Amino acid sequence: MSGVLSNRWLLALAVLAVLLVAQVLLPPYHHTNFARIMVLASFAIGYNIAFGYTGLLSLGHAMFFAAGIYAAGLGAQELGLSMPAALAFGALGGLVLALAVGLIALRTSGVAFLIVTLMFAQAVFLTTLYFNEVTKGDEGFVIAEALRRIEIGGAELKLSDPTVRYNVALALFALCYLASIALLHSPVGRVLVAVRENEQRTRMLGYNTFGYKLLAMVISGTISGLAGAAYALLFAYVGSTFASTQYSIYALLWVLLGGLGTTLGPLIGTGLMSYLVDFASDVTSSYLIVVGVVLVVLVLAFPKGVVGTAIERWGRLRS
Amino acid sequence: MSFGAYFFLAVLEGTVSAFVLALTALGLSLVFGVMRVVNVAHGELFMLGAVIAWWVSQMAGDPLSGFLLALVVGPLLVGGIAIAADWAILKRVDYNPEATIVATIGLLYIIQQSVLILYGPDARAVEAPFYFRVQFPWFGYSGYKLIVAALSAGLLLATWYLLKKTRLGLYMRATQYDQETAQAFGVPVRRVYAAVFALGGGLAALAGVLVVPIQQAHYLMGHDPLLLSFIVVIIGGLGSLRGTLIAAFVIGISDGVISVFFSPTLAKILATLLVALVLVVRPGGLFGAKPA
């Protein structure tokens, strides 16, 4: 476990290397799919920090993702922010909203916390509909092609270019993934897990558990916001769907399927679910039924998810 | 029309929806109170009631017999589905609050998407069983809506009677108050759970049956009743019949008034933020409330 390149970092680097190489092997359709999965998995990583690490069962994380989407989308479109600035603005949107919601919602816990976060997310969703003159509501808007470019030392990168898009998504995912591993194994991360396992005991040991939970919410919201911003800029679309309860449920589903509280879980869960939904939507227009079935099966048979079950079977894969 | 007339209309509309909301929320509140779990699929049971009402209306000869039949078949079928869900899922996760939430989210999608497969994506109207208008000095008002309010009031009274005056009601209250002691005194807690889950679903289904001639049956119609019921249950307090009723009227009527004078979206934003406010003032939230 000691040393710079312990198992956990080796596994992480291997995963990232596979994703890096995959882009030359994947046919175009899956290429785009993978880019999308990596961005959504970053959102799931954000959610995992709240629910998986700290035990805060939120059903409102779509609001942080949407905060990032709207902050970046409107920032680029209305304020003329450059792409990196729009990304940062999106992360800031998630941070500020998570701080505000956390300060209020964390006065409650358990089921009440879940409902309060659901309510706040619903308020955010309705707000995006209410101000439809700016947000274009349900219909949403497309971010202009001309805005979606990054200039690096004279060279210009277009985000609409598949290769650029894939690698920006990979960079974002790598950042969130490595940060989540570092967080989990840092002293702060240990306290977050302690809060999840037994909050009262942690408080008795002298830790300010409210402060730690708020910190977890803020980190979680910031990562979710950053992922939302990247989603808006890479896929050029901003709409209120992303603020709906369904996206909060998706985050929960991806993390549960992958393995609650594991660092690799969010990617596995997002990837599997994405392909499962893809496959089901070819068969039936009621493809969301697989979401329901997977949730029920997970609860009844595999509460630890894919990675969690693997760790149980084959020992310490979690790194 | 004058401001007064508009206001009266808004209050009237609000009152009708408040009665339906009270019925739906009471189901959720009972499940909350007695079983200590959240049924996220509650809105889908409401939707099932509406869809079953449409289905029955297609088979029945005239609207009135269809309506009466739906009032019986709807809650029975939905109650049966609730019992099956209790047996197949809730019992197996031992009513763990978090696992139950995740499982009922799954149930939400399964019910909703099954209805999409079997019933289709269209919104379908059901003819109202009664046609008459009540003439006020300023406008005429649908008589059926007033009957919805009256029937809801009757069903709320019946539920109150069930809870306070029957053996099953006594069992429910005993289980809510202290599950272990109730079991020690011979209350069949598991069967009470199944009964409460069925009763909660049945109430939601009844609300769906009542509302469908006003609103049309659609597979996504369960979303709003679910959120409004959550709001009502939180503001009204855990498992409290009186609190649920009062909150349903506060939310229902203010929703009606704000919807008429401003916008329905704004009304819902304010209602959701009100919930946050309640929890700030009373951090214990719904679990801080004493069952009445």
Side-chain angles (χ1 to χ4, degrees):
Chain A
M1 297 297 289
S2 58
V4 183
L5 283 181
S6 59
N7 282 341
R8 76 174 74 110
W9 294 107
L10 281 177
L11 175 72
L13 290 178
V15 168
L16 293 174
V18 168
L19 287 170
L20 186 65
V21 174
Q23 62 181 310
V24 293
L25 304 172
L26 289 168
Y29 176 73
H30 296 283
H31 192 272
T32 312
N33 248 357
F34 266 57
R36 197 183 298 268
I37 287 168
M38 286 189 286
V39 176
L40 293 175
S42 307
F43 172 36
I45 286 173
Y47 184 74
N48 196 26
I49 289 171
F51 183 32
Y53 292 12
T54 322
L56 299 169
L57 176 45
S58 145
L59 206 50
H61 259 58
M63 68 180 140
F64 307 129
F65 189 65
I69 285 193
Y70 278 105
L74 294 174
Q77 197 90 323
E78 308 283 332
L79 308 177
L81 294 182
S82 68
M83 286 299 99
L87 270 179
F89 199 50
L92 185 68
L95 186 152
V96 171
L97 186 62
L99 185 65
V101 169
L103 277 172
I104 299 170
L106 285 172
R107 296 167 66 95
T108 64
S109 62
V111 172
F113 176 79
L114 173 133
I115 294 178
V116 177
T117 50
L118 175 69
M119 290 300 152
F120 273 118
Q122 187 65 13
V124 168
F125 170 65
L126 292 168
T127 306
T128 64
L129 295 181
Y130 189 69
F131 292 103
N132 66 348
E133 276 176 28
V134 188
T135 63
K136 303 287 178 294
D138 247 347
E139 214 173 290
F141 62 88
V142 171
I143 301 174
E145 181 69 42
L147 295 170
R148 298 170 53 224
R149 54 189 72 223
I150 309 173
E151 276 177 54
I152 301 175
E156 193 185 68
L157 298 173
K158 286 184 183 168
L159 291 183
S160 53
D161 177 70
T163 311
V164 173
R165 184 165 62 192
Y166 190 98
N167 287 295
V168 170
L170 177 59
L172 168 83
F173 174 74
L175 175 71
C176 297
Y177 179 45
L178 296 176
S180 78
I181 298 174
L183 174 67
L184 183 60
H185 297 282
S186 71
V188 173
R190 301 286 185 203
V191 180
L192 297 185
V193 173
V195 170
R196 177 188 75 196
E197 294 300 322
N198 194 329
E199 185 178 345
Q200 219 161 3
R201 198 175 289 174
T202 313
R203 197 179 318 128
M204 303 259 246
L205 285 172
Y207 291 102
N208 173 6
T209 52
F210 182 87
Y212 277 96
K213 288 197 287 186
L214 188 61
L215 179 67
M217 276 298 276
V218 168
I219 296 173
S220 173
T222 308
I223 292 181
S224 305
L226 181 64
Y231 197 94
L233 300 176
L234 291 178
F235 299 97
Y237 174 69
V238 174
S240 58
T241 331
F242 299 113
S244 67
T245 316
Q246 184 156 334
Y247 271 79
S248 298
I249 293 175
Y250 273 154
L252 172 68
L253 172 64
W254 294 329
V255 167
L256 278 178
L257 177 60
L260 192 60
T262 63
T263 50
L264 187 55
L267 178 70
I268 305 279
T270 311
L272 279 178
M273 210 55 226
S274 167
Y275 273 93
L276 199 57
V277 166
D278 219 39
F279 170 74
S281 58
D282 284 343
V283 181
T284 165
S285 60
S286 313
Y287 59 91
L288 284 176
I289 201 165
V290 300
V291 171
V293 172
V294 169
L295 278 173
V296 171
V297 169
L298 277 174
V299 168
L300 290 181
F302 299 102
K304 296 195 165 153
V306 173
V307 176
T309 309
I311 291 172
E312 222 173 37
R313 290 269 169 86
W314 296 298
R316 307 173 47 86
L317 250 182
R318 186 212 319 241
S319 319
Chain B
M1 276 202 303
S2 64
F3 173 81
Y6 267 117
F7 190 75
F8 180 63
L9 177 64
V11 171
L12 204 57
E13 285 280 300
T15 308
V16 172
S17 52
F19 269 111
V20 178
L21 177 58
L23 211 51
T24 320
L26 182 59
L28 192 69
S29 176
L30 281 175
V31 171
F32 242 147
V34 179
M35 304 167 69
R36 314 258 153 184
V37 296
V38 182
N39 178 15
V40 185
H42 194 68
E44 305 314 302
L45 301 178
F46 172 91
M47 178 270 288
L48 274 180
V51 169
I52 291 171
W54 175 84
W55 179 61
V56 170
S57 77
Q58 293 308 104
M59 301 207 288
D62 59 304
L64 183 59
S65 58
F67 178 71
L68 294 176
L69 200 58
L71 278 179
V72 179
V73 175
L76 279 182
L77 265 180
V78 173
I81 291 172
I83 288 177
D86 175 69
W87 175 80
I89 303 172
L90 270 65
K91 204 173 79 177
R92 280 162 217 266
V93 296
D94 207 22
Y95 304 96
N96 172 299
E98 297 192 345
T100 303
I101 285 170
V102 176
T104 52
I105 293 173
L107 198 59
L108 179 160
Y109 280 105
I110 293 175
I111 294 176
Q112 182 195 83
Q113 299 292 312
S114 304
V115 169
L116 176 61
I117 295 173
L118 297 171
Y119 171 86
D122 305 322
R124 298 175 209 219
V126 172
E127 220 180 307
F130 312 98
Y131 269 116
F132 61 93
R133 294 185 79 71
V134 177
Q135 196 58 47
F136 290 106
W138 316 278
F139 54 81
Y141 195 69
S142 152
Y144 177 72
K145 286 191 179 176
L146 296 178
I147 286 182
V148 166
L151 280 177
S152 304
L155 288 164
L156 290 170
L157 272 177
T159 313
W160 176 82
Y161 183 85
L162 174 79
L163 280 175
K164 301 283 174 180
K165 305 284 175 190
T166 66
R167 177 167 289 261
L168 177 62
L170 182 66
Y171 281 176
M172 286 181 186
R173 283 182 290 138
T175 309
Q176 169 163 358
Y177 193 74
D178 185 339
Q179 192 236 97
E180 278 179 23
T181 311
Q183 193 150 23
F185 276 82
V187 173
V189 168
R190 283 300 156 107
R191 251 184 276 166
V192 169
Y193 276 9
V196 167
F197 207 57
L199 178 63
L203 287 170
L206 280 169
V209 172
L210 289 176
V211 102
V212 74
I214 307 173
Q215 220 195 328
Q216 300 196 331
H218 185 254
Y219 80 104
L220 289 176
M221 73 191 291
H223 191 71
D224 279 0
L226 175 71
L227 283 168
L228 284 172
S229 298
F230 271 166
I231 293 171
V232 163
V233 169
I234 291 184
I235 293 176
L238 164 77
S240 153
L241 193 71
R242 203 183 316 134
T244 303
L245 287 183
I246 294 170
F249 279 92
V250 170
I251 295 297
I253 293 176
S254 60
D255 190 74
V257 171
I258 299 172
S259 297
V260 168
F261 287 101
F262 300 97
S263 94
T265 313
L266 185 65
K268 295 220 171 57
I269 295 177
L270 291 178
T272 47
L273 292 179
L274 178 64
V275 171
L277 197 70
V278 165
L279 286 158
V280 171
V281 176
R282 207 179 59 185
L286 65 150
F287 293 108
K290 284 223 170 70

